[in-house]
Amino acid sequence: MTMLCAQTRIALSDPTSVLHPLCEHLLEHEAEVSEAGGVTTIRLDGSRAELRLEAGALAILVEAPDLARLQGSKFAIASHVVEFAPAGAAPVIRWSGDGAEPMLPPDFRVLSVTGVEQLTPHMRRIHFRGEDLGRYDSLEALHVRLFIPPVGLPEPVWPMIGADGLLQSPPPERRPAIRKYTIREIDVAAGTLAIDFVLHDDAGPGSAFAANVQIGDRIGMAGPGGRGLKQAERYIFLADETGLPALARMLEHLPVDAMGLALVEIADAAERQPLALPEGFELRWLHRDGAAPGSASLLTDALATLDWPAGEGSLYLWAACEHAAFREIRAAARQYLRPEIDAHLVVSYWRAGVSEEQHAAEKRKAA
Ligand SMILES: Cc1cc2nc3c(=O)[nH]c(=O)nc-3n(C[C@H](O)[C@H](O)[C@H](O)COP(=O)(O)OP(=O)(O)OC[C@H]3O[C@@H](n4cnc5c(N)ncnc54)[C@H](O)[C@@H]3O)c2cc1C
């Protein structure tokens, strides 16, 4: 196998004091670290790095089978060298070899809008074209981060990996807003994908982009992320409109003999959309009928009426919805599921009254 290769020599007043915490930290991130003959070897996600202590410097050589893993390893090492270097002594890092020129991050793609479909009054499907989409075609990781450029910018500016191996963000006034969305459809051979956007009041960059989209508009996409569909003998899915694209995609890919229940909260009957689901599945639409999104307890009320399984047979519960319902569903899952055979994934997809940035900051604080 041909390996890509990059190297750097970073001047440091005390390289040992950087190398040790760097290794300890990467061990926590599932790296394998070994030391022999004065060379520290770090194996991380298919890449291999050799680090040598020199007088007043750390010499690093990284090898990986592809650019994504090479850049990932360069980033992991460079960012931790910066983190563990003495305060006030920002190390100068310059990689040579493969991937040395500034480039888009390997998990980043530019997408162009090719079509728009109004699925329901508040759900708009946007079709995109992009290159090299293979890594995004996975039921193990359904969501992506979309980079939405500020309105009116003549040319979008994307984050780049610099010559130091670190991510360079565009200046604040040109920086894209980042929002999480789900890939609803993808055709890697055709280079196309589709994303379903909820059009909501108090629109932030995500909803506003969808509301005003024009053919040819460009956004960025990074990822994918998230956790995938688990095998189980019975499923319970709960979603509001934001979780509906992921739910619909999972339902389409379940085995034909899968059994379960899908509860979907929507504004009203006009928001229903046809879903392909296995025969052994029941689908219940729950209408808010005038209540504001995020204010109704329809999902948790419906969940409270269910018979939780006893005895044999595994259950997988998946939920994606507004934060208040997420908290209740997570509490119910923890109370009623049997840890030895059941599994669950309950995620807050948005929080009423706060933007995605504030919501993400709250989640980080809680974690
Ligand atoms: C893993 C993941 C996958 C997701 N997939 C999708 C998807 O495929 N499609 C999709 O539409 N959304 C999806 N979401 C939800 C989406 O990221 C949020 O709704 C996001 O806040 C929308 O960004 P915005 O810029 O429109 O609004 P923001 O700037 O984040 O918020 C502005 C205001 O709008 C409110 N708001 C945000 N979302 C809604 C909503 N749905 N209804 C009513 N008010 C809202 C906020 O509370 C805030 O007051 C997903 C979220 C996650 C975490």
Side-chain angles (χ1 to χ4, degrees), residues 143 179-180 182 196 198 200 202 204-207 351 353-354 356:
H143 73 253
R179 292 289 180 272
K180 286 193 182 133
T182 305
D196 291 354
V198 176
H200 61 82
D202 192 16
S207 184
R351 185 166 188 168
V354 306
E356 163 66 23

Side-chain angles (χ1 to χ4, degrees), residues 122-123 142-144 148 177-184 195-209 225-226 240-246 288 292-294 320 322 347-359 363:
H122 292 101
M123 187 70 92
L142 295 171
H143 73 253
V144 287
I148 302 163
I178 303 176
R179 292 289 180 272
K180 286 193 182 133
Y181 281 85
T182 305
I183 295 185
R184 176 65 184 88
I195 294 175
D196 291 354
F197 290 78
V198 176
L199 304 176
H200 61 82
D201 291 343
D202 192 16
S207 184
F209 164 75
D240 66 7
E241 291 93 334
T242 60
L244 182 52
R288 283 192 300 275
E322 199 277 332
V347 187
S348 172
Y349 268 24
W350 65 285
R351 185 166 188 168
V354 306
S355 71
E356 163 66 23
E357 285 87 358
Q358 296 162 308
H359 185 211
K363 283 202 242 182

Side-chain angles (χ1 to χ4, degrees), residues 115-148:
V116 182
E117 258 180 277
Q118 195 68 36
L119 298 180
T120 67
H122 292 101
M123 187 70 92
R124 183 167 273 198
R125 177 164 300 169
I126 304 186
H127 295 268
F128 298 93
R129 180 172 297 286
E131 284 179 15
D132 190 15
L133 298 179
R135 64 178 289 129
Y136 303 92
D137 185 9
S138 163
L139 288 175
E140 296 302 312
L142 295 171
H143 73 253
V144 287
R145 284 177 298 135
L146 297 183
F147 290 65
I148 302 163

